[in-house]
Amino acid sequence: ALLLNRYLLSLFGVTSLEALSEHLKDPMLEGYDENNVSLFYHEICTRLFPNEELTEEKLLGYDQNIYRHTEHISKDRGERIRWKYFQYLSLLFTEVYLDRYFTNRDKLLSDIQKYQESVFNFDNRTYHEMEEFTANDLNKLAYWSATGSGKTLVMHINILQFKHYAKGKMDINR
């Protein structure tokens, strides 16, 4: 039971990936509407309890970033990339994390630590001997996906996501 994964899920008002993805598995959602907004976004917004941490407006911005990056890596391909729900959620989680990391790293750390102390450590499905999450831990992200699940394409987008959020905040060309 990974702390960061659980923290991100909590922002969506759920405690498991299964709960978040329950209504996203329909292949009909693997596309965009006439305004280039993903059908996953619409489905998530119909089921998401509005909160100040993750608004529909924020989600739309993240969705538009995913669309723009997807178009960028699709331009030289025969057809546009169509994300499966688990790939889209991976990209969406990365958007949320990088936005928070580059906007207010101290608040992100504080929020994760509060979540760890008040929720994670009291969940019987999690490891309770875990040390407190630190600023150094913020520099690590891990993805767990099956063989053949599209990790290479997702990582191409992750690089573009990082460049987008890091732009002007650090020298990313080193």
Side-chain angles (χ1 to χ4, degrees):
L2 301 172
L3 173 60
L4 188 54
N5 179 37
R6 297 237 180 195
Y7 165 73
L8 288 168
L9 287 168
S10 76
L11 297 176
F12 288 86
V14 296
T15 59
S16 71
L17 188 59
E18 292 77 23
L20 181 59
S21 63
E22 178 182 8
H23 301 283
L24 300 176
K25 296 179 181 180
D26 186 344
M28 297 295 289
L29 296 174
E30 296 170 8
Y32 295 89
D33 68 13
E34 65 280 357
N35 297 312
N36 297 322
V37 175
S38 79
L39 302 179
F40 291 127
Y41 163 82
H42 292 297
E43 189 65 27
I44 289 169
C45 286
T46 63
R47 304 191 183 282
L48 180 68
F49 295 107
N51 64 65
E52 62 187 53
E53 294 289 327
L54 202 57
T55 64
E56 287 186 23
E57 182 179 273
K58 271 279 195 204
L59 283 173
L60 181 59
Y62 299 149
D63 186 76
Q64 291 302 280
N65 287 343
I66 293 168
Y67 173 80
R68 189 175 60 258
H69 298 319
T70 302
E71 286 298 298
H72 179 76
I73 68 168
S74 293
K75 69 182 176 204
D76 294 328
R77 298 173 63 89
E79 62 183 68
R80 174 194 268 173
I81 296 167
R82 292 174 53 101
W83 300 116
K84 302 289 185 196
Y85 75 92
F86 56 88
Q87 296 165 322
Y88 180 83
L89 289 175
S90 174
L91 296 171
L92 183 59
F93 281 16
T94 303
E95 283 287 319
V96 172
Y97 186 82
L98 291 175
D99 181 27
R100 290 166 183 265
Y101 180 88
F102 284 106
T103 301
N104 191 340
R105 193 170 183 229
D106 292 336
K107 182 177 180 335
L108 174 62
L109 177 60
S110 174
D111 289 349
I112 293 171
Q113 288 172 336
K114 285 177 191 169
Y115 177 80
Q116 182 180 10
E117 294 167 9
S118 63
V119 178
F120 187 85
N121 288 342
F122 293 99
D123 187 333
N124 63 3
R125 298 168 294 172
T126 60
Y127 178 65
H128 297 152
E129 302 298 320
M130 188 172 161
E131 294 179 18
E132 181 179 55
F133 201 83
T134 67
N136 279 342
D137 295 325
L138 289 175
N139 296 327
K140 303 171 199 160
L141 287 177
Y143 296 86
W144 187 5
S145 298
T147 300
S149 64
K151 289 183 293 292
T152 302
L153 289 174
V154 168
M155 289 303 293
H156 281 290
I157 298 292
N158 292 153
I159 292 166
L160 295 173
Q161 289 173 307
F162 183 85
K163 284 181 158 187
H164 169 78
Y165 285 102
K167 190 174 187 172
K169 299 199 167 67
M170 62 187 306
D171 182 5
I172 58 175
N173 295 317
R174 286 192 276 162

